[in-house]
Amino acid sequence: MLFLTRSGFVLAGLALILGVTLVGGLRQGLLALLGIGFGAVLQGARFGFTTGWRNYIERRDPQGIWAQMLLLVLAAAFTLPLIADSGGELVGAVAPLTLSLVLGAFLFGAAMQLADGCGSGTLYKAGAGAPISFAVLPAFAIGSFFGASHQPAWIALGGLPAVDLNQTLGWPTALLLTVAGCAAVAWLVGRGARRHQQKNGVTPAKWAMRWWMGALLLAVLYLIHMVVAGQPWGIVYGIGLWGAKVFSALGWSPAGDAFWGVAPHAQRLAEPVLADVTSVTNFGLILGAMAASRWNHPAEFKAPAARTLWVGAAAGLVMGYSARMAFGCNVGAFLGGIASASLHGWVWFALAFAGSILGVRIRRRVNP
């Protein structure tokens, strides 16, 4: 769709919103519009969770992580009071501290570096026309489908119950602890950057305003999404649902499946895909990234080597599966979890970052 003119993208966006509204109602249409906003900001600002982490791991550039901490603080400040005062109409991203969370987050962190994008990164890069995304995205859908099917068994391995600081301590204290945690991370990565610069005589990275503007705009969109959808912005469920629908069309039956065969997932599998909250946001995200790429002039991508595509597909498969083990990706578990004052978001961050360190090392060997 990169051949479309600018007016063509406007018409395509309006057609998507209208079509989604006719099938799923006004709320779904608004979510499609928000998805377009998410995609435009992610692509326009080149706001990549994966890239921000890799920039720090490889050359101690802290700006990407600083911007992510700002996003977390703003998203928490905007939504924690609303969740607390909503009487249950708005819910946060809260999950238990299971063994599957620990293993899944680590695997996801490693795989996303090999795939050159997390869940949201894969979608917006597909919209921008990055060739590797077309290998990663189908594999991600397959992995997420199977990961969801096996999720109950992984959870049954045990762990600790969910820790919802917003509910147990109240939103002011939960927000204060979230801000303190983000400030601590920002200070640590800043300290690491300064030491690296002093040791190696490296000039500090230039101030990248795009990261900071991206964080602010994403936080505003996150707030609106929470109000419209009643839940945090997510990515993985929709992609897994696409995989489930494809397998269902090929003859697979969800009857007896521990995840897809029970409510509410069985109902979502039976409904049109445009009735699913996460799916319509994802569709909008892809279109928004396409439009932003066209507005900024399409990036010139080199045809990747066959090995790169195979590695990307394998990484996508692992990402999709491990995201279900770990209750989400960088958006659903990292952003949504921490912004909801759920302790699992911090556990996910720590393990996924550790996995990314390994993933970056493997990436150097695979793509020298």
Side-chain angles (χ1 to χ4, degrees), residues 23 67 111 226 230 260 303 308 362:
V23 173
M226 172 67 79
W260 297 110
T308 301
I362 298 174

mmCIF file of all heavy atoms in Angstrom, residues 23 67 111 226 230 260 303 308 362:
data_model
loop_
_atom_site.group_PDB
_atom_site.id
_atom_site.type_symbol
_atom_site.label_atom_id
_atom_site.label_comp_id
_atom_site.label_asym_id
_atom_site.label_seq_id
_atom_site.Cartn_x
_atom_site.Cartn_y
_atom_site.Cartn_z
ATOM 1 N N VAL A 23 -19.376 -2.857 11.426
ATOM 2 C CA VAL A 23 -19.348 -4.253 11.898
ATOM 3 C C VAL A 23 -19.375 -4.334 13.421
ATOM 4 O O VAL A 23 -20.121 -5.127 14.001
ATOM 5 C CB VAL A 23 -18.094 -4.974 11.360
ATOM 6 C CG1 VAL A 23 -17.971 -6.372 11.978
ATOM 7 C CG2 VAL A 23 -18.143 -5.081 9.850
ATOM 8 N N ALA A 67 13.207 7.704 27.431
ATOM 9 C CA ALA A 67 11.894 8.037 26.859
ATOM 10 C C ALA A 67 10.850 6.999 27.260
ATOM 11 O O ALA A 67 9.688 7.342 27.530
ATOM 12 C CB ALA A 67 11.998 8.123 25.340
ATOM 13 N N ALA A 111 14.406 -13.052 21.710
ATOM 14 C CA ALA A 111 13.868 -13.223 20.362
ATOM 15 C C ALA A 111 13.579 -11.889 19.684
ATOM 16 O O ALA A 111 13.765 -11.756 18.468
ATOM 17 C CB ALA A 111 12.600 -14.073 20.416
ATOM 18 N N MET A 226 -7.506 3.566 27.094
ATOM 19 C CA MET A 226 -8.019 3.041 28.354
ATOM 20 C C MET A 226 -9.484 3.448 28.563
ATOM 21 O O MET A 226 -10.327 2.627 28.956
ATOM 22 C CB MET A 226 -7.161 3.547 29.517
ATOM 23 C CG MET A 226 -7.698 3.222 30.901
ATOM 24 S SD MET A 226 -7.681 1.450 31.293
ATOM 25 C CE MET A 226 -5.961 1.241 31.720
ATOM 26 N N GLY A 230 -11.689 0.424 28.033
ATOM 27 C CA GLY A 230 -11.852 -0.071 29.391
ATOM 28 C C GLY A 230 -10.707 -0.928 29.859
ATOM 29 O O GLY A 230 -10.762 -1.509 30.945
ATOM 30 N N TRP A 260 -8.584 -21.530 23.935
ATOM 31 C CA TRP A 260 -9.492 -21.089 22.887
ATOM 32 C C TRP A 260 -10.876 -21.730 22.987
ATOM 33 O O TRP A 260 -11.831 -21.223 22.385
ATOM 34 C CB TRP A 260 -8.890 -21.395 21.517
ATOM 35 C CG TRP A 260 -7.613 -20.674 21.256
ATOM 36 C CD1 TRP A 260 -6.361 -21.215 21.182
ATOM 37 C CD2 TRP A 260 -7.439 -19.267 21.047
ATOM 38 N NE1 TRP A 260 -5.425 -20.243 20.938
ATOM 39 C CE2 TRP A 260 -6.056 -19.024 20.848
ATOM 40 C CE3 TRP A 260 -8.327 -18.181 21.011
ATOM 41 C CZ2 TRP A 260 -5.544 -17.752 20.609
ATOM 42 C CZ3 TRP A 260 -7.813 -16.910 20.768
ATOM 43 C CH2 TRP A 260 -6.441 -16.707 20.578
ATOM 44 N N ALA A 303 16.955 -5.916 0.362
ATOM 45 C CA ALA A 303 16.427 -7.283 0.390
ATOM 46 C C ALA A 303 17.267 -8.112 1.348
ATOM 47 O O ALA A 303 18.478 -8.248 1.154
ATOM 48 C CB ALA A 303 16.458 -7.887 -1.008
ATOM 49 N N THR A 308 18.617 -14.367 7.111
ATOM 50 C CA THR A 308 17.986 -13.361 7.952
ATOM 51 C C THR A 308 16.486 -13.599 8.056
ATOM 52 O O THR A 308 15.890 -13.456 9.129
ATOM 53 C CB THR A 308 18.259 -11.950 7.389
ATOM 54 O OG1 THR A 308 19.673 -11.733 7.334
ATOM 55 C CG2 THR A 308 17.619 -10.889 8.257
ATOM 56 N N ILE A 362 23.666 -12.849 20.207
ATOM 57 C CA ILE A 362 23.365 -13.821 19.150
ATOM 58 C C ILE A 362 23.172 -13.103 17.818
ATOM 59 O O ILE A 362 23.607 -13.584 16.761
ATOM 60 C CB ILE A 362 22.103 -14.627 19.511
ATOM 61 C CG1 ILE A 362 22.326 -15.421 20.798
ATOM 62 C CG2 ILE A 362 21.718 -15.559 18.366
ATOM 63 C CD1 ILE A 362 21.084 -16.133 21.302
#
